[in-house]
């Protein structure tokens, strides 16, 4: 009955009823068409919900539990800024192991490079950049976080000393250079800066133009993001030719065979940018017991 119904519904207008072979061919095509999309109904529904979330301006709160206490970081923003939520939002709240927050690409490069991007859903058809927020993890078999060069103490096996002077150390990790800055009166939290130094033998490489930043957030959490050089900034978001921009300055010193250890003003540029990002996060979040 089902096959005959499909035949009458779709095939009868185009294929004569006297041609059984053509009729079965039509039915076969219909069946194959239904099988091309191999996704389950659950997968289809999840993808539909994710698509709708891209334009959903309803505020939700994402809760991220600490790994060393009963505290949770509660971040409240419109739904469209959050990506890859694993759990269902109930009554405007959802608990996640970590959270990704998406903005237009230049937002963190001289924050807030794009002020408008902070107040409207990101356009996923254009380049975007993300904040990754997660709990800090203590060392194995401990429940205590050690601050002051947090990442160096936590994962010392990943770093080898490259240079040392001016009371600062520069490390190497998998080819990248790394510098750490502790919390101070000018620095809200411990911060680490990972970068690929400019190499004249590979001048077209995109890697030196993408600097990864990791920062402590509210003592028990962390935030990670990427700062881009002006190569990736366009129009009103691109620094003027005579405007000093810390990410470009980092590339320039290695073009002249200098070292970041001789330019504390560049490190301070990244620190001040991170302070502004932390201020923004604090405006939209709180730590709850």
């Amino acid at each position: 009955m089902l096959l005959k119904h499909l035949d009458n519904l779709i095939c009868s207008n185009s294929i004569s009823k006297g041609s059984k072979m053509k009729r079965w061919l039509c039915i076969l095509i219909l069946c194959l068409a239904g099988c091309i999309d191999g996704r389950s109904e659950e997968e289809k529904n999840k993808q539909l919900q994710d698509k709708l979330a891209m334009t959903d301006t309803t505020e939700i709160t994402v809760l991220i539990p600490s790994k060393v206490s009963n505290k949770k970081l509660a971040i409240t923003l419109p739904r469209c800024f959050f990506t890859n939520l694993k759990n269902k939002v109930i009554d405007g709240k959802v608990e996640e192991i970590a959270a990704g927050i998406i903005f237009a690409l230049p937002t963190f490069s001289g924050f807030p490079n794009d002020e408008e991007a902070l107040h409207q859903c990101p356009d996923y058809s254009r380049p975007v950049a993300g904040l990754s927020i997660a709990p800090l993890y203590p060392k194995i078999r401990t429940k205590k976080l050690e601050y002051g060069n947090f990442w160096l103490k936590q994962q010392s096996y990943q770093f080898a000393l490259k240079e040392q002077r001016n009371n600062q150390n520069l490390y190497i990790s998998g080819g990248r250079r790394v510098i750490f800055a502790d919390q101070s009166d000018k620095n809200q939290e411990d911060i680490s800066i990972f970068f690929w130094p400019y190499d004249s033998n590979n001048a077209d490489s995109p890697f030196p133009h993408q600097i990864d930043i990791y920062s402590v957030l509210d003592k028990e959490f962390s935030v990670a993001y990427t700062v881009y050089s002006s190569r990736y900034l366009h129009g009103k978001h691109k620094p003027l030719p005579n405007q000093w921009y810390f990410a470009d300055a980092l590339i320039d010193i290695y073009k002249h065979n200098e070292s970041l250890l001789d330019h504390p003003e560049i490190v301070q540029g990244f620190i001040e940018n991170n302070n502004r990002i932390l201020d923004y996060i604090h405006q939209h979040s709180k730590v709850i017991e």
Side-chain angles (χ1 to χ4, degrees), residues 249-264:
L250 177 59
I251 295 171
D252 288 341
I253 61 172
Y254 282 91
K255 284 183 178 180
H256 296 90
N257 297 316
E258 299 178 53
S259 170
L260 182 57
L261 293 183
D262 298 319
H263 291 273

Side-chain angles (χ1 to χ4, degrees), residues 1 8 50 56 59 62 93 112 114 135 146 148-149 152 154 165-166 175-176 183 194 221 246 261 278 281 287:
M1 290 295 292
N8 291 335
D50 289 344
D56 188 351
E59 286 196 343
V62 175
K93 295 182 179 180
D114 189 351
E146 297 184 50
N149 289 348
L152 181 61
Q154 175 73 4
R165 60 178 176 279
N166 300 329
R176 291 192 294 177
Q183 182 183 23
F194 286 70
F221 304 90
F246 55 90
L261 293 183
L278 294 179
I281 296 173
V287 176

Side-chain angles (χ1 to χ4, degrees), residues 33-223:
C35 296
I36 288 174
D37 190 344
R39 297 173 299 166
S40 67
E41 288 302 318
E42 184 178 352
E43 289 173 327
K44 293 178 185 178
N45 184 60
K46 176 67 166 58
Q47 291 179 0
L48 175 60
Q49 294 302 317
D50 289 344
K51 187 175 181 179
L52 293 174
M54 292 180 181
T55 57
D56 188 351
T57 58
T58 305
E59 286 196 343
I60 66 169
T61 298
V62 175
L63 303 167
I64 302 175
S66 168
K67 293 295 182 181
V68 295
S69 73
N70 294 323
K71 295 178 181 179
K72 295 180 181 180
L73 180 66
I75 311 167
T76 302
L77 284 169
R79 172 66 182 87
C80 60
F81 286 102
F82 292 102
T83 183
N84 294 327
L85 295 181
K86 305 298 183 185
N87 300 317
K88 187 175 181 180
V89 179
I90 301 176
D91 296 330
K93 295 182 179 180
V94 60
E95 186 167 305
E96 297 282 335
I97 297 173
I101 306 174
I102 301 298
F103 297 93
L105 176 61
T107 305
F108 312 121
S109 305
F111 186 86
N113 187 304
D114 189 351
E115 180 71 31
E116 295 176 359
L118 301 179
H119 307 287
Q120 59 190 25
C121 293
D123 181 355
Y124 286 89
S125 68
R126 305 184 67 180
V128 294
L131 286 175
S132 176
I133 299 178
L136 288 175
Y137 285 78
K139 288 184 177 181
I140 297 175
R141 294 186 294 276
T142 70
K143 292 282 286 184
K144 183 180 179 181
L145 300 172
E146 297 184 50
Y147 303 106
N149 289 348
F150 173 83
W151 287 272
L152 181 61
K153 293 178 179 178
Q154 175 73 4
Q155 301 170 340
S156 58
Y157 59 90
Q158 293 190 12
F159 306 102
L161 184 62
K162 177 68 175 177
E163 300 176 54
Q164 185 177 40
R165 60 178 176 279
N166 300 329
N167 295 319
Q168 284 192 310
N169 296 333
L170 186 67
Y171 296 87
I172 188 169
S173 176
R176 291 192 294 177
R177 304 294 189 270
V178 188
I179 194 167
F180 302 97
D182 298 346
Q183 182 183 23
S184 67
D185 56 345
K186 295 182 179 180
N187 185 13
Q188 289 188 26
E189 302 278 7
D190 286 6
I191 182 177
S192 61
I193 303 169
F194 286 70
F195 66 97
W196 293 91
Y198 174 84
D199 182 358
S200 59
N201 295 320
N202 193 14
D204 293 330
S205 172
F207 297 116
H209 300 271
Q210 305 173 49
I211 302 101
D212 293 331
I213 309 299
Y214 300 85
S215 171
V216 173
L217 171 65
D218 289 324
K219 302 303 181 185
E220 298 180 15
F221 304 90
S222 68
V223 57

